[in-house]
Amino acid sequence: MLGIIGVGHLAAALLAGLHRAGFAPGEVLLSPRGRAAEMAVRYGHPLARDNADLVARCDLVLLVVRPAAAPGAVAGLPWRADHLLVSACAGVPLATLDTGPARRMRIMPLTAAEVGASPTACFPDLPEARRLLEALGPVIPLTSEAEFEIATVSAAIYGWAQDLIARSAEWAAAQGLDPLVARRLNALTFAAAGALIDSKPEPMVQMLHELVTPGGITERGFQILKAHGVSAGWEAACDAVMDKLKGR
């Protein structure tokens, strides 16, 4: 039995992904707050009386609350040695989650889990959680919590990428392209760029060098982006997110 504590926006996306992957309604128990009642109606999942009831009835517990609320959400619950807590709370170290004898792991899923497309970083890589993670999309195991913290920055980049897609589509629509065509074309263009990089072993700098034709449109766009300091701004944004994750 999988129990979910914290049924908000991210958990709703994860539930959609689990439903899509074939999880039966009776395999998932929801804590009775947030959007839990709505999700129970939509997918048929039962509701726990409270978090203590949820932990008592489940073997695998997924924690999807706001980071500041995470330590308090798990404290004092009836944890057993055969429990596994899977935390999806960004910036919350395992050491701050008091689960007694229960084991703990961290994951960083994206809302693309809704369509089975979330690359989900995890640490440690525990086999008991594999079915859950593989239902959400590709699994990216990491070797340390320090690595995991760096990887968590990608969750912010995911939002920035959506903003770039939206801005590109809005620009194309303003030029006269059908808005639905602009949206789909730009979304699939970003997906295509990622798919190519993920599938080929060549260094990314080499792939980009081969793509940028001297005097061509890609080169011209890069010249403007460089003049506006986009690269430096992007790196500064990544640094700022990392600082926030580390509590700086």
Side-chain angles (χ1 to χ4, degrees):
M1 175 75 80
L2 167 66
I4 300 180
I5 296 177
V7 188
H9 178 66
L10 176 57
L14 302 185
L15 281 168
L18 296 178
H19 178 74
R20 183 178 181 275
F23 273 67
E27 291 184 273
V28 182
L29 182 65
L30 305 180
S31 60
R33 298 181 64 182
R35 298 177 61 183
E38 172 195 343
M39 295 296 106
V41 170
R42 181 177 299 179
Y43 300 118
H45 301 304
L47 297 178
R49 292 191 305 274
D50 51 31
N51 289 348
D53 177 51
L54 181 141
V55 169
R57 294 166 61 185
C58 295
D59 307 300
L60 181 65
V61 177
L62 177 60
L63 182 67
V64 204
V65 299
R66 293 183 183 276
V74 300
L77 298 180
W79 298 106
R80 305 185 305 266
D82 61 338
H83 272 133
L84 173 59
L85 173 72
V86 180
S87 170
C89 305
V92 179
L94 292 176
T96 67
L97 301 173
D98 183 6
T99 59
R103 289 169 301 156
R104 299 159 298 177
M105 72 180 294
R106 295 178 68 181
I107 66 171
M108 195 65 256
L110 308 176
T111 54
E114 182 173 342
V115 293
S118 169
T120 303
C122 67
F123 172 80
D125 183 16
L126 300 178
E128 298 92 324
R130 271 285 167 160
R131 183 182 173 222
L132 165 65
L133 301 188
E134 289 173 353
L136 310 179
V139 182
I140 313 293
L142 300 172
T143 60
S144 70
E145 199 162 13
E147 266 196 345
F148 182 89
E149 218 67 81
I150 298 167
T152 299
V153 176
S154 66
I157 293 173
Y158 171 70
W160 307 341
Q162 289 197 17
D163 182 65
L164 286 173
I165 292 170
R167 288 172 182 266
S168 302
E170 288 165 3
W171 177 88
Q175 305 304 308
L177 188 61
D178 180 279
L180 293 178
V181 172
R183 175 176 174 151
R184 185 160 193 261
L185 176 60
N186 280 279
L188 292 178
T189 296
F190 275 70
L196 185 66
I197 289 175
D198 184 46
S199 66
K200 297 186 71 173
E202 290 88 347
M204 288 184 286
V205 66
Q206 175 187 328
M207 295 174 64
L208 189 59
H209 177 74
E210 294 170 351
L211 178 67
V212 180
T213 304
I217 59 174
T218 305
E219 182 188 63
R220 181 58 183 145
F222 270 131
Q223 291 169 348
I224 300 302
L225 292 173
K226 182 178 180 180
H228 283 76
V230 171
S231 179
W234 191 275
E235 292 177 9
C238 290
D239 288 340
V241 171
M242 190 66 185
D243 286 344
K244 183 173 179 63
L245 289 168
K246 291 186 173 182
R248 295 199 292 255

Short mmCIF file of all heavy atoms in Angstrom, two decimals, residues 5 58 63 71 76 81 97 111 125 128 132 146 159 176 183 188 190 200-201 235 241:
data_model
loop_
_atom_site.label_atom_id
_atom_site.label_comp_id
_atom_site.label_asym_id
_atom_site.label_seq_id
_atom_site.Cartn_x
_atom_site.Cartn_y
_atom_site.Cartn_z
N ILE A 5 1.13 11.68 1.87
CA ILE A 5 0.90 12.77 2.82
C ILE A 5 1.16 14.09 2.10
O ILE A 5 2.27 14.34 1.63
CB ILE A 5 1.84 12.66 4.04
CG1 ILE A 5 1.55 11.37 4.82
CG2 ILE A 5 1.69 13.88 4.94
CD1 ILE A 5 2.48 11.15 6.01
N CYS A 58 0.11 1.70 5.72
CA CYS A 58 0.90 1.67 4.49
C CYS A 58 2.33 1.18 4.74
O CYS A 58 2.84 1.27 5.86
CB CYS A 58 0.95 3.06 3.85
SG CYS A 58 -0.65 3.64 3.29
N LEU A 63 5.89 11.63 0.81
CA LEU A 63 5.70 12.91 1.47
C LEU A 63 5.80 14.03 0.44
O LEU A 63 6.84 14.23 -0.18
CB LEU A 63 6.76 13.10 2.56
CG LEU A 63 6.67 14.38 3.40
CD1 LEU A 63 5.41 14.37 4.27
CD2 LEU A 63 7.92 14.53 4.26
N PRO A 71 9.37 18.37 8.25
CA PRO A 71 9.76 17.71 9.52
C PRO A 71 8.58 17.50 10.46
O PRO A 71 8.44 16.43 11.06
CB PRO A 71 10.79 18.69 10.11
CG PRO A 71 11.36 19.40 8.92
CD PRO A 71 10.19 19.57 7.99
N GLY A 76 6.46 11.98 15.14
CA GLY A 76 5.49 11.37 16.05
C GLY A 76 4.55 10.37 15.43
O GLY A 76 3.59 9.95 16.08
N ALA A 81 10.17 -0.44 11.21
CA ALA A 81 11.43 -0.71 10.51
C ALA A 81 11.19 -1.11 9.06
O ALA A 81 12.08 -0.93 8.21
CB ALA A 81 12.19 -1.81 11.24
N LEU A 97 14.27 14.60 8.88
CA LEU A 97 13.00 13.87 8.87
C LEU A 97 13.08 12.73 9.88
O LEU A 97 13.74 11.72 9.65
CB LEU A 97 12.70 13.32 7.47
CG LEU A 97 12.59 14.38 6.36
CD1 LEU A 97 12.46 13.71 5.00
CD2 LEU A 97 11.41 15.31 6.62
N THR A 111 6.00 17.81 -12.54
CA THR A 111 4.58 17.61 -12.85
C THR A 111 4.37 16.87 -14.16
O THR A 111 3.26 16.39 -14.43
CB THR A 111 3.83 18.95 -12.89
OG1 THR A 111 4.48 19.84 -13.81
CG2 THR A 111 3.78 19.59 -11.52
N ASP A 125 19.04 4.96 -4.10
CA ASP A 125 18.25 4.20 -5.07
C ASP A 125 17.79 2.90 -4.40
O ASP A 125 18.56 1.96 -4.27
CB ASP A 125 19.10 3.91 -6.30
CG ASP A 125 18.34 3.18 -7.40
OD1 ASP A 125 17.10 3.18 -7.34
OD2 ASP A 125 18.98 2.63 -8.31
N GLU A 128 12.54 -0.92 -3.46
CA GLU A 128 11.14 -0.90 -3.05
C GLU A 128 10.37 0.27 -3.67
O GLU A 128 9.14 0.23 -3.76
CB GLU A 128 11.03 -0.81 -1.53
CG GLU A 128 11.63 -1.99 -0.79
CD GLU A 128 13.09 -1.75 -0.41
OE1 GLU A 128 13.83 -1.12 -1.20
OE2 GLU A 128 13.48 -2.19 0.68
N LEU A 132 7.03 2.77 -8.09
CA LEU A 132 6.50 4.13 -7.96
C LEU A 132 7.22 5.08 -8.91
O LEU A 132 6.59 5.81 -9.68
CB LEU A 132 6.66 4.61 -6.52
CG LEU A 132 6.49 6.12 -6.27
CD1 LEU A 132 5.06 6.55 -6.57
CD2 LEU A 132 6.88 6.46 -4.84
N ALA A 146 24.49 15.20 -1.59
CA ALA A 146 25.05 16.42 -2.19
C ALA A 146 24.75 16.47 -3.68
O ALA A 146 24.37 17.52 -4.23
CB ALA A 146 26.55 16.48 -1.94
N GLY A 159 10.57 24.73 -14.81
CA GLY A 159 9.64 25.86 -14.90
C GLY A 159 10.13 26.93 -15.86
O GLY A 159 9.35 27.51 -16.62
N GLY A 176 1.68 36.00 -36.43
CA GLY A 176 0.65 35.52 -37.35
C GLY A 176 0.48 34.02 -37.42
O GLY A 176 -0.40 33.54 -38.14
N ARG A 183 2.06 26.84 -30.19
CA ARG A 183 2.26 26.15 -28.91
C ARG A 183 2.83 24.76 -29.12
O ARG A 183 3.82 24.37 -28.48
CB ARG A 183 0.93 26.09 -28.16
CG ARG A 183 0.98 25.28 -26.87
CD ARG A 183 -0.33 25.32 -26.12
NE ARG A 183 -0.31 24.43 -24.96
CZ ARG A 183 -1.02 24.64 -23.86
NH1 ARG A 183 -1.79 25.71 -23.77
NH2 ARG A 183 -0.96 23.79 -22.85
N LEU A 188 7.24 20.89 -28.86
CA LEU A 188 7.92 19.73 -29.44
C LEU A 188 9.36 20.06 -29.83
O LEU A 188 10.22 19.17 -29.83
CB LEU A 188 7.14 19.23 -30.66
CG LEU A 188 5.77 18.62 -30.35
CD1 LEU A 188 5.06 18.21 -31.63
CD2 LEU A 188 5.92 17.42 -29.42
N PHE A 190 11.44 22.02 -28.06
CA PHE A 190 12.21 21.86 -26.82
C PHE A 190 12.37 20.37 -26.49
O PHE A 190 13.45 19.94 -26.06
CB PHE A 190 11.53 22.59 -25.67
CG PHE A 190 11.89 24.04 -25.59
CD1 PHE A 190 11.45 24.95 -26.54
CD2 PHE A 190 12.66 24.51 -24.55
CE1 PHE A 190 11.77 26.29 -26.47
CE2 PHE A 190 13.00 25.86 -24.46
CZ PHE A 190 12.55 26.75 -25.42
N LYS A 200 22.40 10.78 -27.65
CA LYS A 200 23.71 10.72 -28.32
C LYS A 200 24.84 10.90 -27.31
O LYS A 200 24.71 11.68 -26.36
CB LYS A 200 23.80 11.80 -29.40
CG LYS A 200 22.77 11.61 -30.52
CD LYS A 200 22.98 12.61 -31.66
CE LYS A 200 24.23 12.30 -32.45
NZ LYS A 200 24.34 13.16 -33.65
N PRO A 201 25.97 10.20 -27.52
CA PRO A 201 27.08 10.27 -26.56
C PRO A 201 28.05 11.43 -26.80
O PRO A 201 28.89 11.70 -25.94
CB PRO A 201 27.79 8.93 -26.78
CG PRO A 201 27.58 8.64 -28.23
CD PRO A 201 26.19 9.16 -28.55
N GLU A 235 23.01 31.30 -15.40
CA GLU A 235 23.89 30.71 -14.39
C GLU A 235 23.65 31.33 -13.01
O GLU A 235 23.67 30.63 -11.99
CB GLU A 235 25.35 30.87 -14.81
CG GLU A 235 25.71 30.04 -16.03
CD GLU A 235 27.14 30.25 -16.49
OE1 GLU A 235 27.90 30.92 -15.76
OE2 GLU A 235 27.50 29.74 -17.56
N VAL A 241 19.09 29.43 -6.90
CA VAL A 241 18.26 28.29 -6.50
C VAL A 241 19.05 27.36 -5.59
O VAL A 241 18.55 26.87 -4.57
CB VAL A 241 17.73 27.54 -7.73
CG1 VAL A 241 17.05 26.23 -7.32
CG2 VAL A 241 16.75 28.41 -8.51
#
